[in-house]
Amino acid sequence: MPELSLVLVNGEFAGADTPALDVRPLGDYWGDSTGVEVVENSPSDIGALMYTSGTTGPSKACMMSHNYLCNIARAGSNLVALEPHDIVWTPLPLFHTSGLQAILGAIIVGGKVSISLKFSVTNFWAEIETSGATVAKIMASMVPILIAAPEDDAMKRTFGQVRAVVGNPFTPAQKQAFYDRFGVKYIANNQYGSTEVYCGTSVPYLADTPQGSAGKRNDDFDVIVLDDNDCEVPYGTPGELCFRPSKPDVMFSGYWQQPQKSAEVWRNLWMHTGDMVRMDEEGFIYFTDRKKDYMRKGGENISGFEMEKTFIGHDAIGEVSVHALPSELGEDDIKVVVVLADGANLSHEDLWHWSRERVPSFATPRYIEFRKELPKNGVGRVLKYQLRDEGVTPATWDVQTTDLVKKRVSQ
């Protein structure tokens, strides 16, 4: 490290005598507290600004009180029953609530945290081994990569070392792979969270939970599913997920310098998330789509989330995003944007025919576009608003301009 010239040491330095290295006591550099004003904070005072992911529009800065930051630490730690002896490993960015929680959660229980600068599948198990991690917080996109990676010595040596993994979503097959191959004992993936409301729904550690659910109401929040008129919908009916706190200062305090945006989400005493869910009779919620990502065609509602689950099942597709474009008929036309898997070949026509066999006729896409990559934010989420704004590009294939439509009409 040729750039290193000064090292500050707390306590005695037992290292080698290096003339080129200036080693000094840390105490020599302690600041002088004389004249420093001590500010007393209340739990409701703003402690941080954290920006939303910006997947449906420009990011907004959430005002986060000191108590909300403490609640993030506590609620996230409860998901895996974090204890002082635990070491949390994560590559998640610290401008994301999950990344921030890794640090705050360790602090609140007196544990430790290891922050990886960048996720690397080849170095993952070596970092787990070196850090001594017992809990890992990862993104969903990392799950299949880790499962598909070849076995290495570090993976073998750390079998069973990580007792719990926090990430969402996990399929049943992915969970089983983590249990069997890596010795993980628990996957915490049944919770709902956003920058505005962290762990709005959740389940207790080791609880038996329905597959695919995002948990249920906890002691911190009241939860309801509402229609467009803010009336509660029956069990099993899709509607917008809404929250209000059961305790003071356990969620965001509004958007910084955007009172109109704050008022838009706080309506009729409920904070509207913009996420569409359904709730079963036991109170478990199931995500269906972002409200802005819902499409309507032929008088039918279409979930972009469900459409993407279908298209990602094609062997030639690596990534996919489905969204609506305005139709001249007054509803929506559906556009599918695809990133092909490495080495895969696929034509627009073949994908269109494939989709007709797997989705309802009213949900068959009009537009298909192949791209090298999808626009994403800093935590890897697709920026659908950007795709919608781009509309029909020169690279967009339109079934209406082909003979396929004529053949269907003549049949």
Side-chain angles (χ1 to χ4, degrees):
M1 300 178 66
E3 297 86 0
L4 183 63
S5 60
L6 174 63
V7 176
L8 303 180
V9 178
N10 186 20
E12 295 184 5
F13 178 61
D17 184 12
T18 308
L21 196 61
D22 190 1
V23 181
R24 302 182 187 181
L26 176 63
D28 291 352
Y29 286 79
W30 286 341
D32 183 2
S33 61
T34 304
V36 175
E37 181 182 0
V38 178
V39 178
E40 294 186 2
N41 292 310
S42 71
S44 62
D45 287 340
I46 303 304
L49 298 176
M50 182 166 283
Y51 280 82
T52 59
S53 60
T55 54
T56 58
S59 295
K60 300 177 287 292
C62 288
M63 294 185 286
M64 308 177 86
S65 67
H66 290 284
N67 200 64
Y68 181 28
L69 294 171
C70 290
N71 200 63
I72 289 174
R74 180 191 58 78
S77 299
N78 288 346
L79 294 176
V80 293
L82 201 67
E83 297 184 1
H85 61 78
D86 279 314
I87 300 172
V88 180
W89 180 92
T90 187
L92 300 180
L94 302 185
F95 57 77
H96 188 277
T97 50
S98 291
L100 177 65
Q101 194 283 325
I103 295 178
L104 299 180
I107 291 173
I108 206 168
V109 302
K112 299 178 181 178
V113 61
S114 175
I115 306 295
S116 179
L117 296 179
K118 183 180 180 181
F119 172 75
S120 167
V121 64
T122 55
N123 294 328
F124 178 82
W125 293 108
E127 291 190 36
I128 293 296
E129 182 177 31
T130 301
S131 65
T134 57
V135 175
K137 298 196 71 172
I138 60 177
M139 287 195 298
S141 59
M142 302 171 186
V143 174
I145 298 174
L146 291 171
I147 292 174
E151 193 173 73
D152 59 33
D153 291 339
M155 182 192 299
K156 296 176 184 177
R157 290 192 296 267
T158 55
F159 182 86
Q161 176 183 311
V162 176
R163 66 173 181 83
V165 173
V166 183
N168 200 11
F170 267 79
T171 67
Q174 289 171 341
K175 277 189 173 184
Q176 199 60 50
F178 267 62
Y179 298 150
D180 297 340
R181 192 176 184 203
F182 308 139
V184 174
K185 298 176 179 62
Y186 183 67
I187 306 291
N189 73 312
N190 300 101
Q191 59 273 343
Y192 172 92
S194 65
T195 314
E196 291 90 342
V197 51
Y198 187 83
C199 281
T201 60
S202 58
V203 294
Y205 179 56
L206 298 179
D208 187 16
T209 309
Q211 174 59 37
S213 83
K216 61 194 302 187
R217 181 188 183 278
N218 54 47
D219 292 339
D220 291 336
F221 303 98
D222 196 5
V223 183
I224 196 170
V225 182
L226 301 176
D227 64 16
D228 290 339
N229 296 314
D230 283 349
C231 296
E232 187 172 8
V233 301
Y235 291 125
T237 302
E240 186 173 5
L241 178 63
C242 299
F243 292 95
R244 59 187 175 199
S246 300
K247 303 173 183 177
D249 303 310
V250 291
M251 60 189 299
F252 87 128
S253 304
Y255 299 117
W256 174 253
Q257 295 184 343
Q258 295 192 70
Q260 182 59 40
K261 293 293 184 182
S262 301
E264 288 175 7
V265 298
W266 277 104
R267 303 191 308 273
N268 294 319
L269 302 180
W270 291 99
M271 197 284 287
H272 292 61
T273 64
D275 285 323
M276 300 294 288
V277 303
R278 58 181 177 84
M279 180 185 291
D280 67 19
E281 294 185 357
E282 296 182 15
F284 289 100
I285 67 165
Y286 301 82
F287 179 79
T288 59
D289 211 342
R290 287 288 296 171
K291 191 171 185 179
K292 288 186 177 180
D293 294 339
Y294 246 76
M295 301 167 284
R296 189 166 180 84
K297 186 176 180 182
E300 300 283 350
N301 290 324
I302 303 168
S303 167
F305 177 73
E306 294 296 333
M307 289 281 285
E308 288 165 0
K309 286 173 60 178
T310 299
F311 277 90
I312 202 64
H314 195 297
D315 292 339
I317 293 179
E319 292 183 281
V320 64
S321 179
V322 179
H323 62 277
L325 292 180
S327 170
E328 55 266 29
L329 300 178
E331 291 187 313
D332 295 319
D333 282 322
I334 297 169
K335 182 176 180 180
V336 177
V337 183
V338 169
V339 176
L340 293 177
D342 292 342
N345 291 306
L346 184 64
S347 70
H348 302 97
E349 291 84 357
D350 287 344
L351 180 57
W352 186 83
H353 282 296
W354 181 90
S355 70
R356 285 198 66 199
E357 299 175 356
R358 290 164 176 82
V359 302
S361 58
F362 58 81
T364 304
R366 173 178 175 177
Y367 303 109
I368 297 175
E369 182 175 330
F370 294 133
R371 295 193 178 194
K372 292 184 178 180
E373 60 183 9
L374 297 174
K376 297 178 180 178
N377 64 9
V379 293
R381 293 178 180 170
V382 177
L383 299 175
K384 286 198 174 185
Y385 79 92
Q386 183 173 322
L387 293 174
R388 279 192 291 265
D389 289 346
E390 292 173 1
V392 178
T393 73
T396 302
W397 177 86
D398 182 358
V399 70
Q400 298 287 351
T401 63
T402 71
D403 291 336
L404 294 174
V405 175
K406 298 177 183 178
K407 291 178 181 178
R408 289 180 64 194
V409 173
S410 63
Q411 289 175 352

